[in-house]
Amino acid sequence: MEARQYIELQLERGRVVIMASLDVRGAFDSAWWPAILKGLRDAKCPRKLCHLAQDYLKERKAVTTINSFSIEKSITKGCPEGSCCGPGFWNVQYNPLLNLKYTNHSKVVAFADDLIMIKAESIEVENIANVELNKIKVVNRQQNQI
């Protein structure tokens, strides 16, 4: 609802609005554990809670069994969808994107995927959108180098 109200207000004021939905393929499956743990530390999460999260993510395995044949594989990323901590870990990992210093032309609204909306007085909105999306690209690269 927040997105709709924002867009309607900008259109009433005669502005141009771009809405970019950043779809993360396999969002929960791709949650990167080093970024999650760094995010908890950066948020000044209590040390015991950080250790609990680290222990939760340590030595995880996936087991697939078909008839009497089982395959076991170590897991180094992802959060079980439907788990209690999955959405929280997802938010911790993506907070750096939501907390970037965007221009006053932009508004970020988080859904299951991230959503960014850019307003402007004219078609300059495309240039502003490119600047904002490049900021996200840079942060994403930095997170993958942790």
Side-chain angles (χ1 to χ4, degrees):
M1 193 56 122
E2 184 179 351
R4 180 179 172 193
Q5 291 169 342
Y6 178 81
I7 291 169
E8 286 175 351
L9 178 64
Q10 300 312 316
L11 293 177
E12 286 172 11
R13 293 178 177 173
R15 294 188 176 123
V16 178
V17 180
I18 288 180
M19 189 167 79
S21 176
L22 306 177
D23 183 32
V24 180
R25 188 178 6 195
F28 284 94
D29 294 337
S30 65
W32 197 45
W33 296 353
I36 292 168
L37 295 172
K38 181 182 183 310
L40 289 170
R41 288 189 303 273
D42 290 349
K44 299 193 183 348
C45 188
R47 193 170 54 187
K48 288 185 179 184
L49 196 52
C50 286
H51 286 270
L52 181 65
Q54 190 171 8
D55 285 346
Y56 176 80
L57 298 172
K58 185 170 48 174
E59 298 176 18
R60 297 190 66 85
K61 297 186 185 315
V63 179
T64 301
T65 303
I66 300 173
N67 295 330
S68 61
F69 182 73
S70 290
I71 298 174
E72 187 174 294
K73 183 178 182 205
S74 293
I75 300 174
T76 57
K77 67 178 185 173
C79 292
E81 210 164 327
S83 69
C84 294
C85 61
F89 284 163
W90 175 252
N91 288 343
V92 166
Q93 182 178 344
Y94 279 87
N95 267 344
L97 294 180
L98 300 175
N99 294 327
L100 279 173
K101 292 187 189 225
Y102 294 99
T103 66
N104 62 352
H105 294 279
S106 303
K107 178 174 184 66
V108 177
V109 178
F111 295 108
D113 295 312
D114 298 322
L115 179 71
I116 181 171
M117 292 176 283
I118 296 100
K119 65 175 184 204
E121 302 297 330
S122 65
I123 57 170
E124 70 182 356
V125 72
E126 183 179 357
N127 295 332
I128 296 167
N130 288 331
V131 167
E132 303 294 42
L133 292 172
N134 278 327
K135 290 177 190 175
I136 292 170
K137 191 186 305 184
V138 168
V139 168
N140 191 37
R141 272 195 218 120
Q142 289 171 346
Q143 278 194 330
N144 288 327
Q145 294 173 357
I146 295 172

